[in-house]
């Protein structure tokens, strides 16, 4: 059976069998297989990465050596990436040194009126480069502006020299940062002894001289030579020898006058050798005369030139003005040209006089002015750009607006109109608002609300207890409610006015005028309370002093009660609401008080 | 005036930069800004000492941070109260740089304002006790105990 199969195989596959065997062998032989694969691996990787860029990340992710290699290949960009971090700090300190330097130079120049200085001023005037820059490039090769001695290990500042004022705050941070950067560079580039030795900061350089205990970092402006670096290295070595113990003693750091002096010695300014010193001929008098002439002449030209260019600028800023000629005259300029009557010339200074012909300008702003004039709608925004007129905002009258828009077509310069404006929204009618409000929140009885002159006017009566909810709600929805006609009622005050005071009277059918008005008050108060459902009945309690005959007293007493009830009816109180009670003399157990003749009031609520 | 170098140690996003900002500028930003390399801030305390605070990034990369720790006078370990893992990171760092054990140190357990997210077990306290005896529950956001923690470290330095 197996023989048959082999036979069949050899019939079908023939010589391929040999090849398959060879492949099998290759797969089994590790060495040979590796060799084979390695021949195609490079191409295969390229192709895979091309199809799937993510693949590369997988490869490089876990290999710190590859990272180090990448950094090595790009040293410069890594240092560049660090510069922005320390740059601002150093620049700030250096800026200070520069300003001091500028002062020095200026003072020196002012004191020394030399031909050279004159020539430089002329150069500065012609080229527009600042005078200080020219002086620097002509006189100074380089200047060491800041010196930091930094502990190599901790990055702490050992001592510093240079201008300090604004720096005081930052010099420690700068030295720490320089050390951090050095660590970073060292870390990124491997530990093969390379150091951060120089970095560029704009037109300044930071040179770091690495010592055994401390680094010397100096900020230099200008073009310095390796000779300076040698000099600094030598100084660093000397400092390491002279101040060995100080460098190791943190207590002396930042407070070491001797060391500071040593560092200050490194703040040098290297001047260019003066090779064209005085020529010996005395031509000062001539020079001065020539200078005065040149000075006066150029001053005048300069002034005129300045005034003219200012005038040009002003004129150029005005839309709708075409300038043909500007002629200086005694006290200003005469400008001829074309002027659109709608142009705004109010910004021109008084010494500019216009002599122009009217014309229609197609400047966007002028077209816009013409449109504004035609529409005359203060709340309509008009904008014109390249012939496209855009209207936004509100207009009052729809009909009028439609007419006006048709007329816009005749204004020259408008090719398209984009009208986004809308009719002014009408404020909703106050009456309607009030109706809506009342539908949701029915009025308490006896309160009246009306709209008078676009204002809500409240009248009638309102119980204090209702004020809180109803009145507040009203105030939230409407502003400026006129409540001057509204009576505010307080139930307990009303109640008190009825019950607090009895009517003491002896006659059975007569009240004094004061008592009469008191009664009227009580009647009114009761009616109000009753109206607002705060009182059901008024109760009169008649009482007498019970002197003389008991029978007579009781009869008088009853008379007093019913008579007073009648008076209340006269005042408008419904008879059914009045209850009269008489206290019979037999019921009185206490000593009779002669003041207690009359009627007391109570209210049933 | 003496300068003292202080290093902030802790894993990514525990709030090292925020704590320094709170202490030095009394300011907190919600937005996360990755520190690149090292950020250095200074703060003068009681006119005799100036702290040079090294806010170091990249404790995830082995060895990378070591050069920055050289010459430090004091250490602030920072853990995140909402992330127990951050305590383990501290232990790993100290295991890796045993010389840190000799330095005065405090530990800030930060983000305590996020009360609902705090995720803390007693075992973590023990872990921290292995680093320092001085720990503070801080919040860079509200400023809670931040000043106090820095002050405690400064006292240990003198
Ligand atoms: N709620 C809260 N968030 C914080 C606190 N401290 C830091 N964060 C936030 O946590 C994130 C990481 O902070 P950061 O200081 O940059 O961490 P670093 O990587 O350790 O420097 C930032 O989004 C911060 O706003 C804190 O005390 N409370
Ligand atoms: Mg950070």
């Amino acid at each position: 059976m197996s023989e048959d199969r082999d036979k069949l195989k050899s019939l079908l596959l023939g010589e391929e069998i040999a090849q398959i065997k060879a492949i099998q062998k290759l797969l089994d032989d590790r060495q040979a297989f590796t060799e084979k694969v390695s021949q195609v691996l490079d191409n295969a990787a390229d192709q895979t990465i091309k199809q799937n860029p993510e693949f590369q990340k997988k490869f490089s992710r876990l290999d710190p050596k590859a990272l180090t290699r990448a950094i090595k290949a790009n040293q410069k960009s890594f240092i560049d990436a660090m510069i922005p971090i320390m740059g601002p700090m150093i620049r700030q300190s250096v800026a200070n040194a520069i300003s001091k330097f500028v002062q020095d130079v200026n003072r020196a120049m002012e004191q020394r009126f030399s031909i050279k200085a004159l020539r430089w001023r002329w150069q500065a005037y012609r080229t527009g480069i600042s005078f200080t820059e020219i002086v620097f490039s002509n006189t100074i090769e380089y200047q060491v502006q800041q010196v930091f001695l930094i502990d190599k290990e901790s990055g702490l500042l050992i001592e510093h020299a240079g201008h300090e004022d604004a720096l005081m705050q930052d010099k420690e941070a700068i030295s720490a940062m320089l050390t951090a950067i050095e660590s970073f560079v060292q870390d990124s580039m491997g530990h093969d002894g390379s150091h951060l030795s120089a970095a560029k900061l704009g037109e300044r350089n930071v040179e770091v001289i690495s010592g055994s205990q401390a680094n010397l970092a100096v900020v230099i402006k200008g073009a310095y030579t390796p000779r300076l670096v040698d000099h600094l290295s030598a100084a660093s070595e000397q400092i390491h020898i002279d101040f060995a113990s100080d460098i190791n003693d943190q207590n002396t750091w930042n407070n070491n006058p001797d060391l500071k002096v040593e560092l200050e010695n490194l703040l040098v300014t290297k001047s260019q050798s003066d090779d064209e010193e005085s020529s010996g001929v005395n031509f000062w008098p001539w020079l001065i005369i020539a200078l005065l002439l040149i000075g006066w002449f150029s001053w005048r030209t300069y002034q005129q030139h300045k005034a003219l260019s200012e005038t040009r600028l002003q004129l150029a800023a005005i839309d709708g003005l075409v300038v043909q000629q500007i002629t200086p005259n005694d006290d200003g300029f005469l400008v001829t040209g074309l002027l659109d009557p709608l142009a705004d010339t109010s910004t021109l200074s008084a010494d500019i006089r216009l002599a122009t012909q009217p014309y229609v300008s197609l400047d966007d702003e002028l077209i816009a002015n013409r449109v504004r004039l035609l529409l005359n709608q203060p709340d309509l925004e008009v904008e014109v750009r390249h012939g496209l007129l855009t209207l936004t905002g509100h207009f009052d009258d729809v009909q009028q607006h439609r007419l006006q828009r048709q007329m816009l077509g005749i204004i020259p310069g408008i090719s398209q109109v984009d009208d986004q404006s809308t009719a002014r929204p009408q404020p909703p009618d106050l009456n309607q608002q009030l109706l809506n409000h009342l539908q949701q929140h029915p009025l308490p009885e006896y309160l009246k609300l009306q709209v008078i002159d676009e204002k809500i006017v409240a009248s009638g009566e309102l119980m204090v207890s209702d004020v809180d909810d109803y009145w507040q709600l009203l105030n939230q929805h409407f502003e400026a409610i006129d409540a001057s006609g509204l009576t505010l009622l307080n139930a307990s005050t009303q109640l008190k006015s009825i019950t607090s005071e009895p009517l003491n009277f002896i006659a059975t059918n007569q009240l004094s005028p004061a008592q009469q008005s008191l009664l009227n008050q009580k009647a009114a108060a009761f009616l109000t309370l009753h109206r607002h459902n705060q009182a059901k009945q008024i109760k009169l309690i008649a009482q007498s002093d019970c002197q003389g005959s008991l029978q007579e007293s009781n009869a008088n007493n009853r008379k007093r009660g019913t008579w007073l009830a009648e008076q209340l009816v006269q005042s408008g109180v419904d008879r059914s609401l009045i209850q009269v009670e008489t206290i019979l003399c037999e019921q009185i157990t206490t000593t009779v008080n002669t003041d207690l003749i009359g009627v007391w009031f109570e209210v049933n609520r | 005036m003496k300068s003292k170098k202080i290093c902030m140690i802790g894993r990514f996003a525990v709030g090292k930069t925020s704590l320094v900002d709170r202490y030095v500028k009394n300011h907190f930003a919600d937005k996360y800004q990755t520190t690149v390399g090292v950020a250095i801030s200074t703060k003068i305390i009681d006119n005799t000492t100036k702290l040079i605070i090294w806010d170091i990034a990249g404790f995830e990369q082995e060895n990378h941070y070591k050069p920055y720790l050289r010459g430090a006078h004091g250490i602030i370990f920072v853990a995140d109260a909402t992330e127990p893992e951050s305590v383990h990171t501290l232990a790993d760092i100290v295991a890796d740089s045993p010389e840190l054990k000799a330095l005065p140190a405090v530990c800030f357990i930060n983000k305590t304002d996020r009360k609902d997210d705090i995720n803390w077990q007693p075992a973590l306290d023990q872990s921290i006790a292995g680093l320092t005896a001085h720990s503070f529950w801080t919040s860079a956001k509200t400023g809670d105990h931040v000043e106090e923690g820095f002050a405690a470290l400064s006292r240990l330095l003198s």
Side-chain angles (χ1 to χ4, degrees):
Chain A
M1 188 65 198
S2 119
E3 237 179 40
D4 287 349
R5 209 172 54 202
D6 281 349
K7 217 177 254 167
L8 187 63
K9 237 191 193 168
S10 71
L11 272 176
L12 284 174
L13 298 171
E15 58 196 38
E16 275 102 331
I17 287 189
Q19 285 177 14
I20 291 173
K21 285 228 171 88
I23 291 172
Q24 184 71 45
K25 191 163 164 248
L26 182 66
L27 288 177
D28 290 344
D29 182 345
R30 244 185 128 74
Q31 173 94 38
F33 183 57
T34 310
E35 219 159 81
K36 263 275 187 294
V37 171
S38 73
Q39 283 166 13
V40 297
L41 193 58
D42 202 29
N43 282 338
D46 282 352
Q47 206 163 329
T48 315
I49 290 167
K50 207 150 108 204
Q51 284 160 5
N52 178 13
E54 287 298 305
F55 184 72
Q56 188 164 26
K57 283 192 196 147
K58 277 185 203 154
F59 252 80
S60 43
R61 188 179 56 196
L62 292 169
D63 182 4
K65 287 219 185 76
L67 187 64
T68 313
R69 267 202 302 281
I71 292 170
K72 241 183 188 157
N74 292 306
Q75 271 181 25
K76 196 179 163 316
S77 36
F78 268 80
I79 295 174
D80 285 350
M82 295 308 290
I83 297 300
I85 301 171
M86 65 177 202
M89 279 195 293
I90 296 186
R91 256 197 298 284
Q92 191 195 344
S93 66
V94 169
N96 229 45
I98 294 174
S99 75
K100 171 82 169 42
F101 169 69
V102 169
Q103 284 168 12
D104 289 350
V105 169
N106 279 345
R107 205 175 308 121
M109 286 342 280
E110 273 156 24
Q111 282 167 3
R112 225 177 53 162
F113 182 78
S114 70
I115 313 170
K116 210 186 274 173
L118 201 69
R119 204 171 61 208
W120 291 337
R121 278 205 191 276
W122 173 244
Q123 205 179 339
Y125 174 77
R126 252 196 11 219
T127 58
I129 299 170
S130 94
F131 180 58
T132 321
E133 285 299 318
I134 287 178
V135 173
F136 194 101
S137 64
N138 277 299
T139 56
I140 286 169
E141 246 170 56
Y142 61 78
Q143 188 179 44
V144 177
Q145 296 177 324
Q146 302 280 338
V147 182
F148 299 84
L149 188 66
I150 305 168
D151 178 47
K152 221 176 154 77
E153 193 171 49
S154 63
L156 291 177
L157 186 62
I158 299 175
E159 199 48 80
H160 164 259
H163 294 286
E164 293 231 1
D165 337 2
L167 188 74
M168 274 317 260
Q169 306 248 335
D170 279 327
K171 59 183 184 185
E172 275 94 355
I174 291 171
S175 71
M177 195 43 95
L178 284 171
T179 307
I181 290 166
E182 201 203 5
S183 298
F184 176 85
V185 172
Q186 228 167 324
D187 185 42
S188 321
M189 298 182 189
H191 298 271
D192 51 7
S194 46
H195 294 283
L196 169 74
S197 67
K200 208 153 172 60
L201 290 168
E203 46 179 314
R204 271 158 262 283
N205 291 281
V206 182
E207 188 74 37
V208 180
I209 288 101
S210 178
S212 59
Q213 305 281 322
N215 286 344
L216 189 69
V218 292
V219 178
I220 308 161
K221 181 181 177 179
Y224 60 98
T225 54
R227 203 146 26 108
L228 174 66
V229 182
D230 283 348
H231 172 63
L232 293 170
S233 298
S236 163
E237 277 160 27
Q238 197 57 45
I239 288 170
H240 272 81
I241 295 168
D242 295 348
F243 294 89
S245 61
D246 293 348
I247 288 176
N248 282 317
D249 179 7
Q250 299 201 4
N251 288 319
T252 69
W253 290 3
N254 252 329
N255 184 20
N256 193 335
D258 294 343
L259 181 52
K260 199 176 179 85
V261 168
E262 204 64 34
L263 295 185
E264 273 164 357
N265 288 338
L266 299 177
L267 294 172
V268 290
T269 300
K270 170 86 164 67
S271 312
Q272 279 178 359
S273 49
D274 269 40
D275 38 22
E276 7 169 27
E277 253 331 312
S278 59
S279 57
V281 183
N282 185 356
F283 50 88
W284 280 108
W286 296 109
L287 187 71
I288 289 169
I289 292 168
L291 272 178
L292 286 177
L293 279 171
I294 293 170
W296 177 80
F297 182 75
S298 47
W299 184 82
R300 240 193 74 102
T301 318
Y302 169 71
Q303 288 295 327
Q304 268 178 4
H305 180 79
K306 200 168 95 177
L308 184 63
S309 54
E310 262 166 23
T311 302
R312 278 220 181 86
L313 271 179
Q314 280 190 34
L315 293 170
I318 290 177
D319 287 331
L321 173 65
V322 179
V323 176
Q324 280 160 345
Q325 203 174 8
I326 306 176
T327 331
N329 55 15
D330 352 314
D331 50 358
F333 295 95
L334 179 68
V335 177
T336 55
L338 303 171
L339 181 71
D340 188 300
L342 288 180
D344 178 10
T345 58
S346 62
T347 56
L348 289 181
S349 56
D351 61 350
I352 301 177
R353 221 156 48 76
L354 296 176
T356 53
Q357 303 282 319
Y359 87 116
V360 174
S361 162
L362 293 186
D363 276 344
D364 286 345
E365 195 42 43
L366 271 293
I367 298 173
N369 276 350
R370 246 181 286 287
V371 173
R372 281 184 201 113
L373 207 67
L374 174 77
L375 297 178
N376 190 25
Q377 291 271 355
D379 290 341
L380 216 49
E381 303 287 335
V382 177
E383 200 194 289
V384 177
R385 192 168 292 163
H386 307 310
L388 169 65
L389 164 66
T390 310
L391 297 178
T392 49
H394 300 306
F395 51 82
D396 288 322
D397 185 338
V398 180
Q399 201 64 35
Q400 185 199 11
H401 182 70
R402 198 170 298 147
L403 270 174
Q404 285 182 333
R405 219 177 49 193
Q406 283 165 1
M407 283 160 66
L408 289 175
I410 61 166
I411 294 184
I414 295 180
S415 53
Q416 240 183 319
V417 178
D418 176 11
D419 186 0
Q420 303 171 2
S421 63
T422 50
R424 190 187 311 285
Q426 292 298 317
D429 180 35
L430 196 59
N431 261 312
Q432 192 55 45
Q433 280 183 49
L434 185 61
L435 270 178
N436 291 346
H437 181 80
L438 294 183
Q439 241 159 37
Q440 285 174 36
H441 312 281
L443 266 183
E445 234 176 333
Y446 308 110
L447 174 64
K448 231 169 103 189
L449 296 176
Q450 288 167 285
V451 177
I452 300 173
D453 292 341
E454 296 296 308
K455 217 173 170 194
I456 293 192
V457 177
S459 57
E461 298 169 348
L462 186 66
M463 290 304 294
V464 173
S465 54
D466 288 333
V467 166
D468 283 348
D469 1 335
Y470 195 83
W471 195 253
Q472 268 181 20
L473 197 70
L474 204 62
N475 268 311
Q476 276 166 20
H477 284 268
F478 303 98
E479 37 191 77
I481 299 172
D482 178 359
S484 53
L486 181 72
T487 315
L488 275 184
L489 300 173
N490 186 328
S492 65
T493 333
Q494 302 278 333
L495 209 57
K496 240 193 221 147
S497 76
I498 299 173
T499 58
S500 65
E501 213 178 328
L503 283 176
N504 295 119
F505 64 109
I506 299 171
T508 55
N509 57 2
Q510 205 182 346
L511 289 174
S512 72
Q515 286 176 325
Q516 185 63 53
S517 90
L518 194 59
L519 183 71
N520 290 343
Q521 262 177 38
K522 289 178 193 286
F526 174 73
L527 285 173
T528 308
L529 284 176
H530 182 69
R531 222 175 18 244
H532 290 276
N533 295 324
Q534 301 285 325
K536 289 201 180 74
Q537 276 193 321
I538 186 164
K539 188 173 173 189
L540 312 185
I541 303 162
Q543 201 170 313
S544 102
D545 60 354
C546 299
Q547 301 290 306
S549 126
L550 275 188
Q551 218 170 355
E552 206 176 321
S553 281
N554 282 338
N556 284 342
N557 208 7
R558 197 170 300 119
K559 253 191 226 159
R560 247 180 239 117
T562 42
W563 180 77
L564 204 62
E566 194 54 38
Q567 296 305 111
L568 276 180
V569 174
Q570 302 281 320
S571 306
V573 181
D574 194 282
R575 199 180 299 278
S576 65
L577 302 178
I578 305 170
Q579 196 188 345
V580 183
E581 191 184 312
T582 26
I583 297 189
L584 299 175
C585 288
E586 295 87 324
Q587 292 168 340
I588 296 175
T589 52
T590 51
T591 327
V592 174
N593 184 340
T594 45
D595 290 340
L596 291 186
I597 304 177
V599 175
W600 277 253
F601 298 82
E602 276 178 17
V603 172
N604 298 331
R605 302 190 72 183
Chain B
M1 172 117 27
K2 289 222 176 77
S3 299
K4 299 285 181 187
K5 173 171 173 180
I6 305 291
C7 293
M8 307 292 295
I9 292 185
R11 73 188 264 175
F12 172 76
V14 293
K16 299 181 294 295
T17 304
S18 307
L19 285 161
V20 174
D21 273 3
R22 166 61 71 198
Y23 179 57
V24 175
K25 305 183 204 148
N26 198 16
H27 161 269
F28 178 82
D30 261 319
K31 204 169 142 264
Y32 182 64
Q33 281 179 322
T34 323
T35 311
V36 180
V38 181
I40 286 158
S41 319
T42 60
K43 173 127 174 165
I44 296 176
I45 43 174
D46 62 33
N47 281 326
T48 61
T49 312
K50 184 168 191 172
L51 296 185
I52 317 290
I53 306 169
W54 289 51
D55 172 17
I56 303 166
F59 281 96
E60 292 64 36
Q61 283 163 275
E62 222 181 301
N63 286 330
H64 160 85
Y65 57 88
K66 282 191 175 170
Y68 299 127
L69 300 178
R70 286 199 310 242
H73 292 103
I75 300 295
I76 294 180
F77 293 109
V78 185
D80 182 338
T82 68
E83 287 278 353
E85 261 308 304
S86 63
V87 177
H88 302 144
T89 305
L90 294 177
D92 291 347
I93 293 169
V94 173
D96 208 32
S97 307
E99 69 276 11
L100 293 180
K101 282 193 198 146
L103 293 174
V106 297
C107 182
F108 289 0
I109 302 156
N110 192 40
K111 304 199 189 173
T112 50
D113 57 287
R114 289 175 50 190
K115 296 208 169 55
D116 294 341
D117 302 322
I118 291 184
N119 185 357
W120 200 256
Q121 301 105 30
L124 297 175
D125 282 325
Q126 277 189 354
S127 199
I128 286 177
L131 306 172
T132 168
H134 311 274
S135 58
F136 295 86
W137 285 72
T138 61
S139 163
K141 186 169 185 167
T142 64
D144 270 5
H145 298 120
V146 175
E147 185 91 37
E148 197 183 321
F150 275 96
L153 182 62
S154 341
R155 274 197 303 279
L156 293 176
L157 293 178
S158 51

